């Protein structure tokens, strides 16, 4: 049953912020939660003549007005199985290796409650999941960003989950990414090292920091350079990860001045006006970070066998690389 709370504004409350008044009157609901409810349209404002949905937590309240807070039905704590096609590279009783398309979120979260890789795996694996922590769900031991494509390995039982987790913790998993970055890295190959933490100002970003954060290291190697009339357009690079931090390749490459093509978060600078017309749309219009988890290698957590898998670039990156190839130097 949906819960509703009615708050009548008196003269002592008048002039104060709506979210503060609601938090004072509904102590069992956090102020941050109430802010979210307001922004999501779950609070209505009633006067003697009208009723309207409120969307601004900071608006001032007036005496004699009334606010109704509606708590939506809670979502299921466990993700549901959904019949979503998967590109399965390998599967046995213990692990499954997937080539994830760009645009798919790995795990349900706020803003992405379904349509995720986990929802797809629950349907695909079905009864072959013996459970992680007593619950039938795939064991997520690593993730890649929504708009990064490429290979992921998941566990199907506790033993496999523990074995893979150990390999990720000791950095023994082989992970190779292919990417297209802006400009030409100099030197052409190297090792980028630096702690990664949440950006101090923009909380949607990560950043290399001298204070706090988690140690991270990325080895990069230039495979091809692309140039036109003396302008360093872009480079095809290979990145090998020693660690696996949030946005690691994206942050490290931006840190050395060579953000990934199409990256909406870390690639903000203007492009040269000398980019050839036949390349401009493909290069400047690339719709995501040009990053693909191309290779993964690990020791099977149950059999002990060495496994290695590779996935070709998806069609959008193949088109981008093909368009750049005519400017290879």
């Amino acid at each position: 049953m949906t819960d509703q709370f009615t708050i009548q504004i008196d003269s002592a409350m008048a002039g104060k912020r709506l979210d503060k008044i609601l938090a004072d009157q509904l102590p069992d609901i956090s102020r941050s939660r109430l802010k979210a409810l307001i922004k999501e349209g779950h609070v209505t404002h009633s006067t003697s003549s009208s009723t309207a949905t409120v969307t601004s937590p900071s608006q001032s309240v007036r005496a004699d007005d009334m606010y109704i807070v509606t708590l939506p039905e809670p979502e299921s704590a466990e993700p549901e199985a959904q019949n979503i096609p998967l590109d399965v590279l390998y599967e046995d009783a213990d692990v499954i290796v997937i080539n994830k398309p760009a645009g798919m979120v790995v795990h349900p979260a706020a803003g992405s409650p379904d349509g995720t890789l986990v929802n797809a795996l629950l349907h695909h694996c079905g009864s072959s999941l013996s459970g992680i922590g007593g619950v039938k769900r795939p064991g997520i031991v690593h993730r890649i960003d929504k708009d990064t494509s490429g290979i992921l390995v998941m566990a199907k039982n506790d033993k496999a989950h523990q074995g893979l987790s150990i390999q990720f913790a000791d950095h023994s998993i082989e992970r190779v990414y292919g990417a297209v970055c802006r400009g030409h890295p100099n030197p052409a190959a190297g090792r980028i090292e630096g702690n990664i933490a949440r950006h101090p100002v923009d909380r949607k970003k990560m950043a290399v920091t001298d204070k706090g954060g988690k140690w991270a290291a990325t080895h990069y190697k230039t495979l091809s350079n692309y140039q036109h009339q003396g302008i360093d357009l872009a480079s095809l690079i290979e990145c090998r990860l020693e660690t696996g931090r949030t946005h690691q390749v994206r942050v490290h490459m931006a840190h050395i001045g060579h953000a990934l093509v199409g990256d909406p978060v870390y690639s903000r600078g203007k492009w040269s006006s000398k980019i050839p017309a036949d390349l401009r749309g493909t290069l400047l219009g690339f719709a995501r970070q040009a990053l693909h988890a191309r290779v993964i290698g690990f020791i099977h957590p149950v059999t002990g066998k060495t496994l290695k898998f590779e996935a070709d670039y998806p069609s959008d990156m193949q088109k981008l690389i093909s368009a750049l190839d005519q400017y290879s130097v």
Side-chain angles (χ1 to χ4, degrees), residues 179 181 183-190 219-226 234-239 253 256 258 329:
C181 71
H184 296 174
N186 185 19
H219 296 262
Y220 73 89
K221 178 175 68 175
T222 301
L223 304 179
S224 297
N225 283 328
Y226 309 108
S235 298
L236 177 63
I237 60 171
E238 174 184 281
C239 293
M253 292 309 299
I256 65 169
H258 297 282
V329 293

Side-chain angles (χ1 to χ4, degrees), residues 94-269:
D94 305 297
V95 300
I96 182 169
V97 180
I98 300 293
N99 181 22
K100 184 189 84 69
M104 176 181 274
V105 175
V106 171
H107 198 282
S112 301
D114 55 18
T116 70
L117 179 59
V118 166
N119 297 111
L121 286 168
L122 287 169
H123 180 274
H124 174 87
C125 297
S127 60
S128 69
L129 289 175
S130 61
I132 306 295
V135 179
K136 286 196 172 183
R137 62 187 177 207
I140 304 298
V141 288
H142 68 131
R143 305 183 189 193
I144 55 179
D145 299 330
K146 173 186 175 182
D147 289 324
T148 297
S149 56
I151 307 177
L152 288 159
V153 56
M154 274 73 61
K156 297 173 71 174
N157 53 57
D158 274 320
K159 184 175 182 179
H161 187 261
Q162 182 179 11
L164 288 173
S165 296
I166 290 171
Q167 292 180 63
F168 275 98
D170 65 19
H171 312 304
S172 60
I173 299 277
E174 179 184 9
R175 281 172 290 173
V176 182
Y177 285 72
V180 180
C181 71
R182 296 179 60 165
H184 296 174
N186 185 19
R191 183 175 183 268
I192 308 168
E193 183 175 354
N195 284 20
I196 291 178
R198 189 67 59 182
H199 193 283
V201 177
D202 187 345
R203 307 304 289 176
K204 295 180 180 179
K205 297 174 66 174
M206 307 299 289
V208 174
T209 178
D210 294 328
K211 298 179 180 179
K214 294 182 178 180
W215 174 78
T218 303
H219 296 262
Y220 73 89
K221 178 175 68 175
T222 301
L223 304 179
S224 297
N225 283 328
Y226 309 108
Q227 190 179 78
H228 176 67
Q229 295 182 354
I231 300 298
D232 295 341
L233 299 172
S235 298
L236 177 63
I237 60 171
E238 174 184 281
C239 293
R240 290 182 175 267
L241 275 59
E242 285 189 38
T243 55
R245 309 304 181 200
T246 302
H247 297 183
Q248 179 171 319
V249 173
R250 300 166 65 189
V251 172
H252 273 172
M253 292 309 299
H255 181 67
I256 65 169
H258 297 282
L260 303 189
V261 168
D263 195 320
V265 177
Y266 300 101
S267 180
R268 297 293 181 90

Side-chain angles (χ1 to χ4, degrees), residues 37-50:
L37 289 171
I38 294 168
K39 292 178 179 179
E40 293 166 5
H42 297 297
V43 177
T44 56
H45 172 217
S46 295
T47 67
S48 57
S49 59
S50 65

Side-chain angles (χ1 to χ4, degrees), residues 3 8-10 28 30 32 38 66 71 105 116 119 167 171 196 212 223 233 236 242 272 287 298 315 318 323-324:
D3 291 325
Q8 187 72 45
I9 305 301
D10 59 29
D28 292 335
S30 71
S32 61
I38 294 168
M66 182 173 66
L71 295 184
V105 175
T116 70
N119 297 111
Q167 292 180 63
H171 312 304
I196 291 178
L223 304 179
L233 299 172
L236 177 63
E242 285 189 38
S272 169
F298 58 94
S315 59
Q318 288 184 19
L324 285 165

Side-chain angles (χ1 to χ4, degrees), residues 99 101-102 149-150 288 291-292 311-319:
N99 181 22
S149 56
R288 65 177 180 98
L291 183 62
H292 177 66
D312 289 338
Y313 291 110
S315 59
D316 61 344
M317 284 192 66
Q318 288 184 19
K319 180 180 178 181

